[in-house]
Structures are given as structure tokens and as C-alpha cells.
């Protein structure tokens, strides 16, 4: 599954799991005390209510725990917001859990995350570092769990926004936000080079501001790659954007609006318009 040209990503299990568990806690925190009407609130994801988002998270963690995907009551592949096989699996769980009450949903969520917590905290280091198939291609199980942290943190923000809950420090400075941003940073070489078509010789600097502040640098030398710095060279394009806004763009939750771009504007604008890389 792997080769010397593509080694697996070895990640610290304690740090990744701190982020993953915090993302689950955030989902529960946003939903605590919410009535049935809140669970029916629409989210930024086409066709999905808050209830559906939670169904998806329950379903994915159930799949990872070896629980079979339920059969849907219709051809979910024909639904307008279902675009691929992963979408079909997600929608099977959405349909299956559609009639569950908020209390039952929270109980299911607590039960499956407890099972996952027990499994993840007792697995061996060899299993954590072992190669597996992830949404980003073959990589370590640890990388898969960082992708899960990114996904669950993003969905916590979907729920928070749908319920009109203000952003808190925990939303932006906790281990879940940190791990999510680490995962997103890893994908910026692909976004800048493949999706944004930055020409060879480009040095793109993404300056994230606000509570999710970070600087991400991508150098394009035949192939785009995330780098620590550009040496003595200056960036050819600088994109300055609020960090939370950046995550919503990458997740396809919002449309690109006015973003501060300096230097090679055409390249910068092309990158901004193609930040959405999430399946």
C-alpha cells in the first residue's frame, strides 16, 4: 500500500486524539439542552439539517468501529446533494436515523464515541502507524484520525453556525482546531498547485488572521509543496484571510468573496476560488 517514495505520516497519537476527543465534546456542547426545533435547523451543507450532520458523524464512527452501514429506504444516489460513493454511505445513515429523537441521537453519539475512545486509546503504536486507506489516499491510521478530527471539527462549526451560537475561544484555540488546521495545511500544496494552478516559480503565502492565525507557505518548483520558509526570497503571492473564514472556504461552506490578495493577483484569485478541496 505504501512505497519508499510515499512513506506514511507518523503523528503523535496523544496530540491527535486530544483533538479528536475535543471535537466530539464540542458537538455535544453545542447540542446540550437544544430542543427538537434546533435539530431541524438547516446547515451550510446542502440538504442537511443539524440532525443529519450528527447522523453522519455517528455513521462514520460506526463504520470505523465495524458496524455495518444500514440499507436506505430509497435510491440515495439520486438525491441532488449526493455526488459520490462516500455521499451514498453518509446518506444511508442520515435516512436510517431520521426518526430518532434528540435524546436518542445524543445517546447514540455518546455510545459510539465511547466505543471509539476505548479502541483508539488501547490500540498499539504499530497499529496507529500502520498504512491504511484514508480519504487522502494510502497513509497511516494516525493520519486518518487527524482527518477525522478535521471533519468533526468542521461539523461542530456547521452545528454552531446553524444554531447561531457565537464563536468561543474553545472553537478556535483548542486542540481540535489546532489539529484540524494542521490537516488543512498539509493539503495546501495540492490546493495551490493542482487546483489553483499556480505556475512554477510561485511562492504563495497564506496569512491566516484572527483566532485561527497561522502562516502557510507553498513553493512551486515543478511540484507544489508546503515549506517552512522561502529562504531569502519574497512571496510572489500573498493571500490574507481570517482563519475561520479560510476553513469555511476550504470546506465549501461559503462562496469566495473579497479576499486581500497581494502580488500576483491572478494566481491568488485562482487559488481562492479553488480552496474547496473537501470531498
Amino acid at each position: 500500500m505504501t512505497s519508499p517514495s510515499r512513506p506514511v505520516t507518523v503523528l503523535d497519537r496523544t496530540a491527535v486524539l486530544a483533538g479528536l476527543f475535543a471535537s466530539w465534546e464540542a458537538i455535544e456542547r453545542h447540542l446540550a439542552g437544544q430542543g427538537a426545533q434546533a435539530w431541524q435547523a438547516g446547515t451550510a451543507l446542502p440538504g442537511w439539517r443539524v440532525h443529519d450532520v450528527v447522523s453522519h458523524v455517528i455513521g462514520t464512527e460506526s463504520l470505523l468501529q465495524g458496524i455495518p452501514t444500514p440499507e436506505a429506504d430509497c435510491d440515495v444516489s439520486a438525491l441532488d446533494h449526493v455526488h459520490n460513493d462516500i455521499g451514498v454511505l453518509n446518506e444511508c445513515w442520515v435516512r436510517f436515523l431520521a426518526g430518532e429523537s434528540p435524546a436518542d441521537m445524543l445517546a447514540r453519539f455518546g455510545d459510539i464515541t465511547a466505543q471509539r475512545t476505548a479502541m483508539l486509546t488501547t490500540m498499539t503504536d504499530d497499529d496507529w502507524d500502520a498504512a491504511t486507506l484514508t480519504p487522502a489516499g494510502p497513509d497511516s491510521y494516525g493520519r486518518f484520525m487527524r482527518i477525522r478530527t478535521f471533519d468533526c471539527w468542521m461539523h461542530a462549526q456547521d452545528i454552531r453556525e446553524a444554531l447561531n451560537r457565537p464563536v468561543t475561544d474553545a472553537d478556535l484555540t483548542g486542540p481540535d482546531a489546532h489539529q484540524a488546521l494542521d490537516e488543512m495545511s498539509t493539503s495546501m500544496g495540492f490546493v495551490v498547485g493542482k487546483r489553483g494552478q499556480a505556475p512554477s516559480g510561485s511562492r504563495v503565502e497564506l496569512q491566516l488572521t484572527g483566532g485561527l492565525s497561522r502562516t502557510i507557505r507553498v513553493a512551486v518548483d515543478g511540484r507544489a509543496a508546503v515549506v517552512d520558509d522561502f529562504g531569502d526570497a519574497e512571496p510572489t503571492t500573498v493571500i490574507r484571510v481570517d482563519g475561520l473564514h479560510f476553513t469555511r472556504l476550504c470546506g465549501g461552506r461559503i462562496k469566495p468573496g473579497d479576499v486581500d490578495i497581494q502580488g500576483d493577483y491572478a494566481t491568488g484569485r485562482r487559488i481562492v476560488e479553488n480552496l474547496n478541496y473537501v470531498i
Side-chain angles (χ1 to χ4, degrees), residues 46-272:
W48 274 13
R49 308 155 298 159
V50 168
H51 192 286
D52 304 324
V53 171
V54 181
S55 297
H56 156 58
V57 177
I58 290 171
T60 302
E61 298 306 329
S62 297
L63 177 66
L64 292 172
Q65 199 63 15
I67 299 172
T69 301
E71 292 188 10
D73 59 353
C74 68
D75 180 9
V76 295
S77 65
L79 298 175
D80 289 343
H81 59 278
V82 176
H83 305 298
N84 50 45
D85 290 343
I86 292 177
V88 169
L89 291 176
N90 292 340
E91 206 64 31
C92 286
W93 280 99
V94 167
R95 306 284 296 190
F96 179 68
L97 297 175
E100 295 282 292
S101 69
D104 287 341
M105 288 292 286
L106 282 175
R108 279 183 178 272
F109 185 83
D111 179 63
I112 192 59
T113 54
Q115 291 182 49
R116 293 290 296 148
T117 297
M119 181 268 187
L120 290 165
T121 53
T122 57
M123 70 189 305
T124 67
D125 291 340
D126 285 344
D127 287 340
W128 177 261
D129 294 332
T132 190
L133 187 61
T134 84
D139 210 326
S140 66
Y141 194 84
R143 170 79 188 284
F144 195 174
M145 292 307 99
R146 191 175 70 178
I147 294 171
R148 290 299 307 132
T149 304
F150 158 70
D151 185 61
C152 290
W153 181 82
M154 288 288 287
H155 287 313
Q157 305 317 304
D158 293 329
I159 294 168
R160 177 189 60 75
E161 287 184 355
L163 300 180
N164 294 314
R165 294 174 63 94
V167 177
T168 67
D169 287 345
D171 295 321
L172 301 182
T173 60
D176 47 349
H178 181 83
Q179 290 294 322
L181 204 52
D182 279 354
E183 177 56 38
M184 298 174 82
S185 298
T186 300
S187 299
M188 286 305 105
F190 166 76
V191 169
V192 169
K194 187 74 170 180
R195 291 184 57 80
Q197 293 294 299
S200 187
S202 296
R203 296 180 297 277
V204 178
E205 187 167 277
L206 293 156
Q207 297 179 359
L208 310 188
T209 63
L212 284 176
S213 61
R214 181 177 296 202
T215 299
I216 306 169
R217 299 177 180 87
V218 178
V220 185
D221 182 11
R223 182 173 182 177
V226 177
V227 297
D228 292 332
D229 58 62
F230 298 130
D232 296 329
E234 294 294 320
T236 57
T237 301
V238 175
I239 300 170
R240 186 176 293 110
V241 60
D242 175 79
L244 182 58
H245 190 78
F246 168 79
T247 68
R248 306 309 280 167
L249 287 170
C250 288
R253 270 58 168 185
I254 57 176
K255 299 293 186 182
D258 291 333
V259 174
D260 184 7
I261 300 173
Q262 300 175 10
D264 182 348
Y265 182 86
T267 294
R269 190 64 202 174
R270 197 163 55 248
I271 292 167
V272 168

